Each structure stands twice: as structure tokens, then as C-alpha cells.
Amino acid sequence: GKGGVWGGKNIKILLDIVVSPAVTESVACLQQTFDGASGVTTASDHACTANVEAALNFMALLGSAAACRGGRCSQTADEIASCLVQVACNGSSSAFAFKSPGNEAQQHPILDPASLAFVLPAAAFGSMLSVKNGGPFWRQRIIHKTLPILMKTLQEQATSRSPPALGSLAVVAHILCSVSQTHLGESKIRQMIPTLIAGLVYFSKNLDVIAQDDKGTKGLDVLSVILAALTKILRISPEDVTKFVGVIIPSLLLLSTCNASKRYTPNQLIALQCLEIVTTHPNARNAVLREKDQVTAALSVIVDHPSKIIRQAVVHVRNVWFTL
């Protein structure tokens, strides 16, 4: 009816007149901090990042509302989702653009604020996908529109020796978390998993940087969604990661045995959970047994961890491995 039409128009008007200008303005402010503009302080740097994050999250909220409403609003949802994925993966869209990280930054992206900025549109896209309301098909439509953008980026990055770009890595993890296997297709999942595992390895080897650094919050957010995606895969389709088990276990062990700040505790618990789940992998018994002594020895070292909840989890997981 007319209410639906006007509702759709209102979402589009709000996007064009209010949200898009706010995104453009906040991104320009953030760009100045990356360019080292005079007068830019750490406080203003954080404020610019927070403004971009808030604007993108509101854009994603509009996208979710448009997607759930359906009908003509679906085009607005498509526009927003495609914009967020394009910027997360490639740095630019017709609406706004981020500064591309230099070669040095690509070697160690979690230390580079410009690289971490790519996580913001990826997280906003993830919030769109995680909405539970609406009809049964809108998420399928969004994936149909955005997956080609992601797959093209992954193909281009496949030959790089650098760590996975944080934006496309975060998009991969959010999609694997929020979208069913049926909607993605086995082939697409298998193309995404190497990026997820490369991200897991990279974060496990650089955990000391993000777990101790006050600026590492966005890095921890990416690690959280990587571990959540891995948990889902190990539970639902462990055969998809069989050939990576020999890499997954040492990475999880590093993530499980880190003695970091309290804000790392949720990630540490998920890593320990994954370390337990991998012991039940139906096709990787030999690979698991090869790691048994190393895992039990490493876990024994942190049974006196300062956090009670971590100590309890460590003792439980160690017992599971010990009795294999």
C-alpha cells in the first residue's frame, strides 16, 4: 500500500540527504588523520574513527530496514550492502572511499590505522547480515549482490604473500558466521576458507600486539569473528577444513595460552572451545594425535592463569586432549 511506498521513499531520502553526507564528512575527517594533518591529536583520531563507525552502522541499520521491508526497498538495501562490501574489499565505492594502505602497511596491517579502517564497513555489513527479522529471502538476495565483489577480491589477493587484507578477511568471517551453507554453496565456502585460516595464523602470531595495545580493539573484533566462523565450521562442516587442521591447532594453541589483558578473555575462551571441538574432527584423527603432547604441555603451563574462568576452561580442554 501507500505506507509501504512512502516507507521505502523515506529510507532512501534519509540515506541520500542525511546518512551519505555524514559518512562522506566523517571519512574525510579520518582521511586527514591518516595524512598526518597538523593539529590532529590522538583524541581527535579516536573521535574521527568513532564518527565513521557510527555513520556506517546507521547506514547498515537503514540497509537492514530496507531489506526486511522488501519490495522497492530491496534496491536501497542492495545499494547499501554493495557499497559497504566494495569499500571493505577494495577501498572505494561510488559513495565514499578509504585511503589504500601502502606496501609496508600491507605487511603488517594490524599496526596500520588506515588498514584497520577497512574493518569498519565490514563490521557494518556484518550487522546487516545478522538481523533476524524480515522474510526468508532477503539475505539470499544480499549475498547474491555482494558475493561477486568479495570473490573477485579474494582471487586478486590469492597470489599475494602479505597477510590477508583486514577488510576482505572480516567480510569473509562475517559471511561464514551469518549465512547458511545452502545460500553460499560449497564451492564458495571452500574458496573463502583459506583466507579465514590465513587470518587465524596471522593473528595468532601477532597476538602480543593487539592484546596489549590500547589501539588493538578493532583487531580483537576481527579475531572474535574469525574464531566464531571457525567454531561454526568445526561444528557443522569440519570436512571443509580437514587439510588445514595441522595449521589450525598450533594457531589455536597460541591464542589459547596468551596471558593478556582482561579484554582478551572472550577471545581466549572461544579459542579454547575451538581447541576442544577440533579433537572430534572425524577425518583428522592422526593430525590431532600428532599435536597431543604439545597441546597438553602448553595448556599445563597456564593452569594457574589469573582468571578463574580461563583456568576452568584450560583444565577442561587439557583433560579432553590428555584422554585422546
Side-chain angles (χ1 to χ4, degrees):
K2 285 187 177 181
V5 173
W6 281 111
K9 284 186 177 180
N10 288 340
I11 291 174
K12 179 64 174 169
I13 290 169
L14 191 57
L15 175 65
D16 290 342
I17 296 179
V18 179
V19 179
S20 291
V23 169
T24 303
E25 183 180 344
S26 59
V27 168
C29 170
L30 191 61
Q31 183 73 51
Q32 287 184 325
T33 70
F34 296 154
D35 292 340
S38 59
V40 174
T41 63
T42 302
S44 61
D45 185 356
H46 286 313
C48 286
T49 301
N51 288 340
V52 172
E53 185 171 20
L56 291 179
N57 285 342
F58 190 56
M59 177 184 275
L61 184 65
L62 285 184
S64 301
C68 291
R69 182 178 285 272
R72 294 183 181 180
C73 292
S74 297
Q75 293 179 356
T76 303
D78 296 345
E79 178 185 338
I80 292 172
S82 296
C83 171
L84 293 172
V85 173
Q86 282 169 355
V87 177
C89 291
N90 306 317
S92 65
S93 70
S94 57
F96 68 100
F98 280 163
K99 176 185 177 183
S100 297
N103 290 333
E104 187 177 339
Q106 290 174 13
Q107 298 302 315
H108 212 358
I110 57 172
L111 291 178
D112 177 50
S115 295
L116 283 165
F118 284 67
V119 173
L120 302 177
F125 176 66
S127 72
M128 278 188 71
L129 291 180
S130 63
V131 169
K132 301 299 182 185
N133 296 331
F137 302 118
W138 71 264
R139 193 176 284 102
Q140 264 180 281
R141 179 185 171 107
I142 292 291
I143 289 299
H144 176 72
K145 294 289 184 181
T146 57
L147 207 53
I149 302 167
L150 174 64
M151 301 316 295
K152 184 174 184 291
T153 301
L154 295 185
Q155 287 172 0
E156 291 169 353
Q157 294 174 354
T159 56
S160 171
R161 294 190 176 185
S162 301
L166 296 183
S168 51
L169 170 62
V171 171
V172 163
H174 279 294
I175 287 177
L176 289 173
C177 273
S178 301
V179 183
S180 71
Q181 287 177 291
T182 308
H183 291 169
L184 284 177
E186 191 66 31
S187 171
K188 294 292 190 295
I189 292 174
R190 289 183 183 273
Q191 289 177 63
M192 283 189 263
I193 282 176
T195 298
L196 185 77
I197 302 303
L200 179 76
V201 172
Y202 174 67
F203 274 85
S204 70
K205 290 181 177 178
N206 294 281
L207 186 59
D208 56 329
V209 177
I210 60 169
Q212 309 295 347
D213 186 1
D214 288 340
K215 296 179 182 178
T217 306
K218 287 290 169 279
L220 287 177
D221 290 346
V222 179
L223 178 57
S224 295
V225 74
I226 289 172
L227 288 170
L230 182 61
T231 303
K232 178 182 175 183
I233 292 165
L234 288 172
R235 288 282 193 201
I236 296 175
S237 56
E239 63 279 358
D240 289 339
V241 293
T242 300
K243 66 179 181 180
F244 298 108
V245 167
V247 175
I248 290 172
I249 293 173
S251 297
L252 289 174
L253 192 57
L254 287 170
L255 295 170
S256 298
T257 55
C258 175
N259 198 354
S261 61
K262 286 184 179 179
R263 63 198 181 97
Y264 177 64
T265 298
N267 283 322
Q268 193 164 359
L269 288 171
I270 303 174
L272 284 162
Q273 182 184 14
C274 287
L275 202 55
E276 177 186 358
I277 298 169
V278 79
T279 62
T280 64
H281 195 296
N283 306 319
R285 179 74 175 175
N286 290 338
V288 169
L289 290 176
R290 278 196 298 271
E291 303 289 343
K292 176 181 175 180
D293 291 344
Q294 183 182 357
V295 171
T296 53
L299 292 177
S300 296
V301 172
I302 61 160
V303 290
D304 59 349
H305 192 280
S307 166
K308 180 181 178 181
I309 192 170
I310 294 293
R311 288 199 302 273
Q312 291 173 334
V314 167
V315 169
H316 172 73
V317 176
R318 181 184 175 275
N319 288 342
V320 169
W321 276 84
F322 192 75
T323 55
L324 286 175

